[in-house]
Amino acid sequence: HVIKETKSTLYENYLSFWIILALILGFEHITFYFLYYITGYSTLRLCFVIWLQVDYCTNAKNIFDKIKPFISTEHEQLVETSLNSVTEKLDEHGAKITDKIKGQFWNIIQQNYELIKDSLFSALTTVSNKAVDINKSASSLSGAGGEKVDDDSNKDDDNKENNSEKETIQKKES
């Protein structure tokens, strides 16, 4: 019976530690990690977390007992309204930011449409030509009895494509 009591006490202590740590991390997240700009905050937080863990997290249990009334069901409505107002503000500003970013993204796409289109077309053409070349090489190898056929025309085609790509890019830049 004593062992079960000890285990349940340990579980309560550890659970209290994780709740306290979650509250700390949540508060840091809400403040957008501005606390890290305070000199010595990281060191103090580390020392505090270590202190919470000392003696099988009994310090965490003691702190949690002091915090518990503020996060109990009696204050649930206050916490809920606060979170809802913060969430509404974030959603409002987040939507504005998202719309602005979307607009800027599509403006960039529209401004560079021709360049993007030509680049994609060129890339697809190059890939399809390479696939045709591989098929020709494979069929010529199997048709020639395993001898390798050296085709200089493929190299010329690649050079022509590269030159036309460079000309297209230069036209777009000017």
Side-chain angles (χ1 to χ4, degrees):
H1 183 62
V2 172
I3 294 174
K4 284 185 179 181
E5 225 176 86
T6 306
K7 275 189 174 182
S8 67
T9 305
L10 283 176
Y11 291 146
E12 286 179 24
N13 292 350
Y14 289 130
L15 185 59
S16 298
F17 168 75
W18 286 109
I19 291 170
I20 299 286
L21 188 62
L23 289 172
I24 292 169
L25 294 174
F27 185 72
E28 288 174 351
H29 185 72
I30 288 172
T31 59
F32 300 108
Y33 301 99
F34 285 128
L35 296 174
Y36 285 104
Y37 293 110
I38 299 172
T39 306
Y41 171 75
S42 311
T43 307
L44 285 173
R45 189 186 76 137
L46 176 66
C47 292
F48 180 69
V49 169
I50 291 171
W51 178 77
L52 287 174
Q53 294 178 355
V54 172
D55 197 25
Y56 300 104
C57 297
T58 53
N59 294 330
K61 176 70 171 144
N62 295 335
I63 295 290
F64 180 69
D65 288 339
K66 292 177 183 173
I67 294 175
K68 192 175 180 181
F70 297 108
I71 57 174
S72 66
T73 55
E74 297 168 2
H75 298 282
E76 184 176 350
Q77 187 64 30
L78 176 65
V79 171
E80 187 175 335
T81 55
S82 299
L83 285 175
N84 286 338
S85 68
V86 168
T87 303
E88 288 172 4
K89 292 288 185 186
L90 287 175
D91 289 342
E92 178 184 325
H93 294 294
K96 290 177 185 176
I97 291 169
T98 303
D99 290 342
K100 189 173 183 177
I101 290 172
K102 282 181 183 176
Q104 289 176 352
F105 176 75
W106 286 114
N107 285 339
I108 291 170
I109 295 295
Q110 289 171 350
Q111 289 171 354
N112 298 312
Y113 173 75
E114 290 296 323
L115 182 61
I116 293 169
K117 181 182 78 170
D118 291 342
S119 299
L120 287 173
F121 182 74
S122 174
L124 290 172
T125 304
T126 303
V127 168
S128 63
N129 287 339
K130 298 245 183 212
V132 169
D133 291 344
I134 290 171
N135 286 339
K136 284 181 183 177
S137 297
S139 64
S140 65
L141 284 176
S142 62
E147 296 177 13
K148 186 177 178 183
V149 178
D150 189 18
D151 190 9
D152 289 334
S153 64
N154 289 341
K155 292 177 186 175
D156 292 337
D157 289 341
D158 288 341
N159 289 336
K160 288 178 186 176
E161 287 177 24
N162 289 337
N163 289 337
S164 66
E165 288 175 17
K166 289 178 185 176
E167 289 174 7
T168 305
I169 291 171
Q170 288 174 352
K171 287 179 185 176
K172 296 297 177 187
E173 288 176 354
S174 61

